[in-house]
Amino acid sequence: MGAGSHYMLAMTEEDILYTSLPLYHLAGGTVGVCQAAIFGNTMVIRSKFSASNFFKDCVKYRCTVSLFSLMVKLSADVYHNFFSLQVDQYI
């Protein structure tokens, strides 16, 4: 499952995965941890989901893939616009 999502999203070693799912959850543990353990991706783990901190965390840790109820990879255009935001207004 972890490898399938890795290849489906065309993830690379440079991608940084953000998750707030508990690691005992199937997606958090199997799909999420697999990216770090098998493919060497950096994984940002938040202890509890916070809608108000989601984008702040993504900007702060430069996340390129998000894992919550589904996995989403930011496109190049979204990624560029996302990180060109005034970071200090979010952090």
Side-chain angles (χ1 to χ4, degrees):
M1 284 177 44
S5 53
H6 181 85
Y7 294 115
M8 178 182 69
L9 293 172
M11 292 176 66
T12 66
E13 291 179 357
E14 290 80 32
D15 282 315
I16 300 172
L17 175 69
Y18 178 90
T19 186
S20 60
L21 291 173
L23 298 183
Y24 60 81
H25 186 281
L26 179 64
T30 305
V31 177
V33 174
C34 177
Q35 308 313 312
I38 304 298
F39 297 104
N41 292 92
T42 300
M43 185 172 177
V44 176
I45 304 170
R46 181 157 182 96
S47 61
K48 182 179 177 185
F49 180 74
S50 169
S52 61
N53 287 316
F54 175 76
F55 283 109
K56 291 177 189 178
D57 288 345
C58 288
V59 168
K60 182 177 181 178
Y61 298 108
R62 303 188 63 81
C63 299
T64 55
V65 179
S66 176
L67 172 64
F68 43 99
S69 60
L70 61 121
M71 291 184 75
V72 178
K73 183 166 182 179
L74 300 172
S75 70
D77 291 335
V78 171
Y79 182 81
H80 173 73
N81 292 333
F82 187 65
F83 289 111
S84 64
L85 297 172
Q86 294 294 329
V87 176
D88 57 343
Q89 72 183 3
Y90 296 100
I91 298 176

